[in-house]
Amino acid sequence: MEPEKQLTRREFLNYCAKLGLGILLLYPLSKLFSSGAKKDNPNISRHPAKWYKDLAG
Amino acid sequence: MKIVQCLLCKKECKLVNGQRGDCRVRINLNNRLTTLVYGKPCAVHVDPIEKKPMFHMLPGTTALSIATAGCNLHCKFCQNWEISQREPEDTINHDLPPAKVVQAAKNAACRSIAYTYSEPIVFYEYTLDSAKLAKAANIKNIMVTAGFINRDPLLELCKYIDGANVDLKAFTEEYYHKICGGELKPVLETIKTMHEQGVWVEITNLLAPTLNDDMSMSKQMCNWIMDNLGADVPLHFSRFWPTYKLKNLPPTSVEVITEARETALAVGLNYVYVGNVPGHEGNNTYCPKCNQIIIGRIGYMLTKYDIINGTCGKCGAKIAGIWD
């Protein structure tokens, strides 16, 4: 049986960079598809609502 | 990033950009609260007004009945969960702005427009604008609602609403919390406010076996109605039918619903009805003075009408309601 391969520091950083890049790419895409009010959906409207207030973010 | 807080109902959802409220139809879009259902009803029907149920308002007439997706409560027994517990993207919606709603009511010779089926509170702006136009066109407005709304938006709405059937689901906070995802106190406030503002109010109470069919609870509720609204507010006990998340329960027995009606009459309420039991004596309206049937009904159909100028055709006693 072969000994378990040890992850080098370089490989680990490489892996982290790819993961970070993936998240950076997927996040805006997920926002685009999951924000609900899809811009081209004729089934819904986007009308100003009443009765709300702004809170400091 | 700004956070927007919706102040329409007691949930007062705090929303970051892109987030929807608990009702699924109000959303923070670019830091502005936006409704996704304005002019987009998923249900448009012509119904007998008795179906709402409104028994003391224009009997025998029809109401153009509209609803959009969404609700701010999540009742486990909801009869209309296929639209109330859905996002508006998931329902098939019509394009019917307020002016077209009023025109449709005129075309169908409806005396009233009912904002119903799901929850008109969550399509507030659509209800309000349609009601304004309807009032100008001499068409009455009816809300069929659970009444879970803040006072200020309600006061604005009351200027245009003629009648309301408020679903008083039970008389304990625990029931509202566990079964409906809401609170009792704001609903009681809504009923009182509507009554004070001159809206003709009728109340519906669905009796779900083992959950809220305890007669002491019914009696407490009836006493509250007597003390806060008076004897002339109609109360409809509605028969539960297994659906949605409560398919494990049996339908309400006719004996229990009859007992609830008798309890309410004993408390002193003048007009107590039984719903979803066609042919029951509690379908009819009785004169509180001479006890004669003045409006006979089988289900939604009128079999007798003996009210003349708002008074009993037999003894002349005044019958509360909107008759013309």
Side-chain angles (χ1 to χ4, degrees):
Chain A
M1 206 168 121
E2 279 186 37
E4 206 171 282
K5 196 188 168 193
Q6 191 79 29
L7 196 67
T8 66
R9 180 183 160 85
R10 188 186 178 81
E11 281 171 335
F12 175 71
L13 288 174
N14 210 345
Y15 173 76
C16 289
K18 281 178 184 166
L19 188 67
L21 195 65
I23 291 169
L24 277 174
L25 281 170
L26 284 174
Y27 180 72
L29 281 174
S30 72
K31 277 282 174 195
L32 190 70
F33 289 108
S34 70
S35 68
K38 293 162 200 161
K39 287 188 171 59
D40 55 349
N41 190 337
N43 210 28
I44 56 171
S45 58
R46 286 161 211 85
H47 188 87
K50 299 177 84 161
W51 307 108
Y52 72 97
K53 69 177 176 186
D54 295 327
L55 300 176
Chain B
M1 185 187 284
K2 264 203 276 187
I3 296 171
V4 160
Q5 184 173 25
C6 181
L7 301 174
L8 179 62
C9 88
K10 287 287 176 193
K11 294 202 170 163
E12 300 193 343
C13 300
K14 292 175 182 167
L15 310 168
V16 296
N17 195 22
Q19 191 182 0
R20 291 178 193 216
D22 187 55
C23 62
R24 306 166 194 249
V25 300
R26 299 170 79 79
I27 184 171
N28 176 351
L29 273 186
N30 304 319
N31 301 317
R32 283 181 188 281
L33 190 66
T34 304
T35 165
L36 300 174
V37 291
Y38 187 95
K40 293 286 182 182
C42 57
V44 182
H45 302 286
V46 174
D47 285 339
I49 200 165
E50 284 76 14
K51 191 179 172 183
K52 304 301 112 193
M54 293 297 281
F55 277 13
H56 287 238
M57 186 171 172
L58 307 176
T61 66
T62 52
L64 183 82
S65 305
I66 59 171
T68 73
C71 186
N72 54 348
L73 297 185
H74 310 293
C75 304
K76 291 179 179 175
F77 51 79
C78 184
Q79 300 279 336
N80 292 319
W81 63 273
E82 282 151 315
I83 59 172
S84 72
Q85 305 303 315
R86 287 267 195 274
E87 299 196 345
E89 288 89 340
D90 298 333
T91 53
I92 298 165
N93 304 331
H94 306 274
D95 191 25
L96 202 72
K100 283 191 179 174
V101 173
V102 175
Q103 193 55 53
K106 282 182 186 170
N107 292 348
C110 295
R111 297 275 307 274
S112 58
I113 296 169
Y115 310 92
T116 179
Y117 304 133
S118 53
E119 176 51 72
I121 289 167
V122 306
F123 55 93
Y124 180 91
E125 294 75 13
Y126 186 35
T127 298
L128 184 67
D129 288 356
S130 302
K132 283 179 184 174
L133 294 178
K135 196 174 178 74
N138 203 25
I139 293 170
K140 300 261 190 268
N141 291 297
I142 298 166
M143 270 179 85
V144 182
T145 176
F148 197 63
I149 184 172
N150 276 330
R151 184 175 164 83
D152 286 345
L154 175 64
L155 285 173
E156 174 75 6
L157 210 47
C158 282
K159 294 176 194 168
Y160 306 98
I161 299 297
D162 300 282
N165 187 302
V166 184
D167 199 359
L168 182 51
K169 294 172 190 287
F171 212 66
T172 64
E173 289 290 353
E174 190 194 9
Y175 183 95
Y176 264 88
H177 182 70
K178 282 189 179 169
I179 308 293
C180 307
E183 297 164 47
L184 168 64
K185 202 176 162 207
V187 177
L188 297 180
E189 288 302 320
T190 292
I191 294 172
K192 271 164 67 175
T193 304
M194 281 181 156
H195 186 67
E196 284 160 13
Q197 295 298 308
V199 175
W200 173 256
V201 175
E202 303 195 15
I203 294 171
T204 292
N205 175 231
L206 181 103
L207 287 171
T210 72
L211 297 177
N212 71 339
D213 61 347
D214 176 55
M215 284 308 122
S216 66
M217 191 203 286
S218 296
K219 193 174 178 186
Q220 228 182 323
M221 184 181 74
C222 296
N223 280 324
W224 182 88
I225 295 170
M226 273 295 282
D227 295 344
N228 292 276
L229 312 170
D232 283 342
V233 168
L235 172 62
H236 303 257
F237 286 110
S238 190
R239 189 185 197 194
F240 165 85
W241 198 258
T243 187
Y244 193 35
K245 292 182 179 176
L246 286 184
K247 284 186 180 154
N248 55 319
L249 294 181
T252 318
S253 72
V254 176
E255 289 75 24
V256 165
I257 208 161
T258 303
E259 192 185 349
R261 180 170 180 265
E262 283 162 3
T263 302
L265 290 170
V267 163
L269 295 180
N270 284 334
Y271 309 105
V272 187
Y273 298 102
V274 166
N276 295 339
V277 188
H280 192 284
E281 60 175 6
N283 292 174
N284 305 317
T285 301
Y286 298 84
C287 171
K289 196 176 169 195
C290 68
N291 211 29
Q292 295 296 305
I293 295 176
I294 44 178
I295 305 177
R297 299 181 189 86
I298 295 179
Y300 307 137
M301 196 175 68
L302 296 195
T303 54
K304 183 182 179 182
Y305 186 79
D306 195 13
I307 294 179
I308 302 160
N309 297 325
T311 61
C312 171
K314 295 270 185 319
C315 71
K318 190 175 183 300
I319 308 298
I322 299 174
W323 308 109
D324 306 309

